[in-house]
C-alpha cells in the first residue's frame, strides 16, 4: 500500500516491535516519551492520589478496621459464651446424673421396705394359718378318737348281743353277766 | 506496497499498537496543558470511583458476616496490612494508608486498563515515575528523620571485610539511586509491553488466514496480562515495603 508509509522509520521502540507508526501527526513513536503531556499527567495523578488517600484514611480504612475488630470481638465473645454454655451443660448433666442416682437409691429403699412389709404380713398369715391348721387337726383328732371309742363300744355290744343270741339258739340259758365278762375278755384280747 | 512487511491481503495491515497510549484532550482537539481534562483525567477518575466502590460502598453495611464485595475489601486490606507488618514490623504500620493508597491506585488502574478501549494510566512512565519518586523521597526523608546521620549506615556494610567496605559503599549508593528508576520502569514497561503486544496480535486478525490464531493469541495474552496487572502492583508495593524497612531499620 502506498498509503502505508514509513515515516516513523528509525523511531526506536515503535520500529523495534515492527510497527508502522501513525502517518498523520509527527508524534514520537512512544506516547510515553511525549514530554508535553507530562505536566498534565502529573497534575491529574497528584489529584487522584490525594483523593484516594483522603477517601482511604478518612473513611475506608477506619471502617474496615472497625469491622474486622468487631468481628474479632464477636468471635471471642461467642467462643466465651459457647465455653460458658458447655460448662453449664456439663453441670446440668452432673445434676441429672445425681438426681438419677438418688432416685435409683430411693427406689431400692422403697422396694426393700415394701418387700420387708410384705414378708411380715406373709409371716403373720402363715403363722395364723398354721395355728388354725393345728387347731383343726386337734379337733379332728378328738373327733376320730370319739368315733373310735364309739365304734369299740358298738363292737362290744354287737358281740354281746350276738353271743347272747348264739347261747339262746344253742339252747342254753343266757347268763348276761357271764356273757358280758367273756365278750369283754375276748374283745380286749 | 513494498514497505508492507507483513504481506497484507487487499486492504493492508495497519499497526498502531502505541496509539492506545496517546494522551488526548477529552473535549476538542487543542493542545494538552497541565490542567486540560484528558483521557488521563477520565481514567484516573474512574480509578477513584472504583476505589470508592470497592472499599467504601461495599463496606457500607458493616456486616459481621461479609457480603462478597465486603470480603474483597477486607481481603485487600488484610493482604496489604499483613505484607506491611511482615516486612517492616510494627513501626511500619502507621504508614499503612499511604501504602494502601499506592496499591489501590496501581492495581485498579492496571485492571481498568485491561478493559478494551480503556486508557492505561500506569503504562505511562510519567505516572509511575511520580509514584516511584514519591516512594524514594519519602523513604529517604523518613530514614534521615528516624535515624539521623546513622541512616548512612545503610551504605556501610559492616559485615564485609574493611578494605571492601568503600567499594561496597559505592555500589550500595548507586543501587540506592537506581531504585526509583527500576521501580517505575518495571511497572510502566510491563503494562505498556503487554498492551502493545495484544494490539499487534489484534492487527494480525485482519488477515483471514491467521485471524483464528490471532484471537487465540490475544486471549492467551489477555489472561497473562490479568496476572501481570496484579503481580506488578504486588511487586511495586512489596518493594515499597522493603524500602520503608530500610528507612526504619537501616543497619544490615
Amino acid at each position: 500500500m502506498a498509503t502505508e508509509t514509513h515515516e516513523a522509520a528509525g523511531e526506536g521502540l515503535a520500529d523495534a516491535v515492527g510497527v508502522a507508526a501513525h502517518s498523520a501527526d509527527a508524534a514520537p513513536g512512544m506516547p510515553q516519551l511525549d514530554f508535553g503531556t507530562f505536566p498534565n499527567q502529573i497534575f491529574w495523578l497528584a489529584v487522584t492520589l490525594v483523593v484516594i488517600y483522603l477517601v482511604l484514611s478518612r473513611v475506608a480504612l477506619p471502617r474496615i478496621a472497625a469491622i474486622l475488630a468487631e468481628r474479632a470481638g464477636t468471635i471471642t465473645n461467642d467462643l466465651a459464651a459457647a465455653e460458658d454454655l458447655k460448662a453449664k451443660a456439663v453441670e446440668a448433666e452432673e445434676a441429672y446424673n445425681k438426681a438419677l442416682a438418688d432416685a435409683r437409691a430411693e427406689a431400692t429403699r422403697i422396694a426393700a421396705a415394701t418387700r420387708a412389709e410384705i414378708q411380715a404380713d406373709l409371716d403373720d398369715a402363715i403363722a395364723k394359718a398354721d395355728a388354725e391348721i393345728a387347731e383343726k387337726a386337734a379337733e379332728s383328732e378328738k373327733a376320730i378318737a370319739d368315733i373310735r371309742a364309739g365304734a369299740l363300744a358298738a363292737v362290744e355290744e354287737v358281740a354281746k348281743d350276738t353271743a347272747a343270741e348264739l347261747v339262746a339258739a344253742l339252747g342254753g340259758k343266757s347268763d348276761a353277766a357271764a356273757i358280758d365278762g367273756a365278750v369283754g375278755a375276748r374283745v380286749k384280747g | 506496497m513494498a514497505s508492507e512487511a507483513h504481506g497484507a491481503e487487499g486492504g493492508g495491515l495497519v499497526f498502531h499498537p502505541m496509539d492506545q497510549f496517546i494522551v488526548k484532550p477529552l473535549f476538542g482537539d487543542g493542545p494538552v496543558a497541565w490542567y486540560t481534562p484528558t483521557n488521563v483525567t477520565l481514567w484516573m477518575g474512574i480509578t477513584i470511583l472504583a476505589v470508592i466502590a470497592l472499599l467504601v460502598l461495599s463496606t457500607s453495611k458493616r456486616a459481621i458476616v461479609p457480603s462478597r464485595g465486603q470480603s474483597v475489601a477486607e481481603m485487600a486490606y488484610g493482604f496489604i496490612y499483613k505484607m506491611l507488618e511482615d516486612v517492616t514490623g510494627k513501626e511500619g504500620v502507621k504508614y499503612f494508608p499511604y501504602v494502601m493508597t499506592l496499591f489501590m491506585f496501581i492495581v485498579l488502574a492496571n485492571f481498568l486498563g485491561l478493559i478494551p478501549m480503556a486508557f492505561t494510566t500506569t503504562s505511562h512512565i510519567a505516572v509511575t515515575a511520580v509514584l516511584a519518586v514519591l516512594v524514594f523521597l519519602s523513604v529517604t526523608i523518613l530514614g534521615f528523620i528516624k535515624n539521623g546521620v546513622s541512616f548512612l549506615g545503610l551504605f556501610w556494610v559492616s559485615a564485609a571485610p574493611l578494605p571492601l567496605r568503600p567499594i561496597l559503599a559505592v555500589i550500595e549508593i548507586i543501587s540506592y539511586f537506581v531504585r526509583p528508576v527500576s521501580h517505575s520502569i518495571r511497572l510502566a514497561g510491563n503494562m505498556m509491553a503487554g498492551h502493545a503486544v495484544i494490539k499487534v496480535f489484534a492487527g494480525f486478525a485482519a488477515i483471514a488466514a491467521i485471524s483464528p490464531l490471532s484471537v487465540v493469541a490475544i486471549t492467551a495474552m489477555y489472561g497473562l496480562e490479568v496476572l501481570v496487572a496484579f503481580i506488578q502492583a504486588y511487586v511495586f508495593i512489596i518493594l515499597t515495603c522493603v524500602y520503608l524497612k530500610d528507612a526504619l531499620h537501616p543497619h544490615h
Side-chain angles (χ1 to χ4, degrees):
Chain A
M1 289 297 293
T3 54
E4 187 55 44
T5 57
H6 249 228
E7 280 182 16
E11 280 175 14
L13 194 101
D15 272 353
V17 291
V19 169
H22 7 88
S23 47
D25 55 309
M30 279 180 72
Q32 278 86 348
L33 297 181
D34 182 359
F35 294 101
T37 64
F38 274 31
N40 182 277
Q41 296 191 52
I42 292 169
F43 169 67
W44 289 113
L45 175 64
V47 171
T48 306
L49 288 182
V50 168
V51 171
I52 294 178
Y53 181 80
L54 290 180
V55 168
L56 289 188
S57 62
R58 296 288 158 85
V59 187
L61 299 185
R63 183 188 287 176
I64 296 174
I67 291 169
L68 293 179
E70 198 185 341
R71 178 172 310 141
T74 308
I75 289 172
T76 312
N77 283 349
D78 284 2
L79 284 181
E83 203 66 36
D84 238 35
L85 289 177
K86 200 177 165 195
K88 267 186 198 156
V90 169
E91 218 167 87
E93 198 190 344
E94 267 165 20
Y96 167 77
N97 280 340
K98 193 167 168 293
L100 199 65
D102 282 359
R104 201 164 281 152
E106 181 76 8
T108 313
R109 199 183 59 71
I110 290 172
T114 312
R115 197 172 292 133
E117 211 169 286
I118 289 171
Q119 193 63 53
D121 283 357
L122 202 60
D123 287 352
D124 249 20
I126 289 172
K128 213 166 147 198
D130 279 353
E132 247 166 63
I133 288 167
E135 194 180 321
K136 285 257 168 75
E139 234 169 68
S140 304
E141 229 153 273
K142 203 171 144 246
I144 289 169
D146 280 357
I147 290 167
R148 185 176 289 154
L152 279 180
V155 166
E156 208 165 323
E157 207 164 307
V158 168
K160 277 178 199 166
D161 283 353
T162 311
E165 286 300 321
L166 281 174
V167 170
L170 293 175
K173 201 178 169 272
S174 64
D175 180 10
I179 288 171
D180 277 358
V183 169
R186 295 297 286 206
V187 167
K188 269 184 189 112
Chain B
M1 240 175 272
S3 65
E4 193 46 67
H6 300 291
E9 305 169 333
L13 202 54
V14 185
F15 287 114
H16 291 309
M18 304 306 276
D19 278 9
Q20 59 179 320
F21 302 122
I22 294 173
V23 176
K24 293 180 282 242
L26 278 182
F27 312 106
D29 206 18
V32 178
W34 65 268
Y35 52 84
T36 316
T38 55
N39 45 0
V40 176
T41 319
L42 174 67
W43 285 97
M44 285 192 180
I46 293 174
T47 308
I48 294 176
L49 293 181
V51 169
I52 291 175
L54 189 62
L55 294 186
V56 177
L57 299 185
S58 68
T59 59
S60 58
K61 282 190 199 152
R62 299 161 191 266
I64 291 292
V65 178
S67 62
R68 251 178 291 180
Q70 194 182 318
S71 284
V72 173
E74 286 170 9
M75 265 163 62
Y77 182 102
F79 179 62
I80 301 302
Y81 192 92
K82 190 164 181 307
M83 190 198 300
L84 185 63
E85 200 177 24
D86 286 352
V87 175
T88 65
K90 287 276 175 217
E91 310 93 286
V93 163
K94 63 181 163 201
Y95 309 107
F96 175 59
Y98 181 83
V99 175
M100 191 70 177
T101 302
L102 289 179
F103 177 73
M104 291 315 291
F105 173 74
I106 294 170
V107 79
L108 286 176
N110 287 354
F111 278 138
L112 288 170
L114 284 172
I115 299 171
M117 309 305 289
F119 175 80
T120 318
T121 49
T122 42
S123 68
H124 273 262
I125 193 72
V127 170
T128 58
V130 168
L131 295 173
V133 167
L134 268 180
V135 170
F136 178 77
L137 285 182
S138 50
V139 159
T140 307
I141 293 169
L142 190 71
F144 277 112
I145 291 175
K146 287 268 169 186
N147 307 290
V149 185
S150 76
F151 179 58
L152 294 173
L154 182 62
F155 306 116
W156 195 252
V157 186
S158 47
L162 193 58
L164 276 179
R165 284 185 205 171
I167 305 166
L168 284 177
V170 172
I171 295 173
E172 288 280 335
I173 288 171
I174 292 172
S175 84
Y176 189 80
F177 283 97
V178 168
R179 274 178 183 183
V181 179
S182 64
H183 206 184
S184 58
I185 289 179
R186 182 182 302 112
L187 177 56
N190 270 290
M191 298 321 292
M192 185 197 74
H195 286 68
V197 167
I198 287 181
K199 200 72 176 213
V200 170
F201 283 146
F204 280 117
I207 307 169
I210 48 175
S211 63
L213 189 67
S214 170
V215 170
V216 169
I218 291 173
T219 312
M221 272 309 289
Y222 195 91
L224 191 66
E225 281 307 293
V226 171
L227 216 65
V228 167
F230 178 77
I231 289 172
Q232 285 308 317
Y234 173 77
V235 166
F236 193 97
I237 294 309
I238 201 153
L239 284 175
T240 303
C241 291
V242 169
Y243 298 163
L244 192 60
K245 187 205 77 179
D246 281 350
L248 296 172
H249 318 283
H251 304 290
H252 289 278

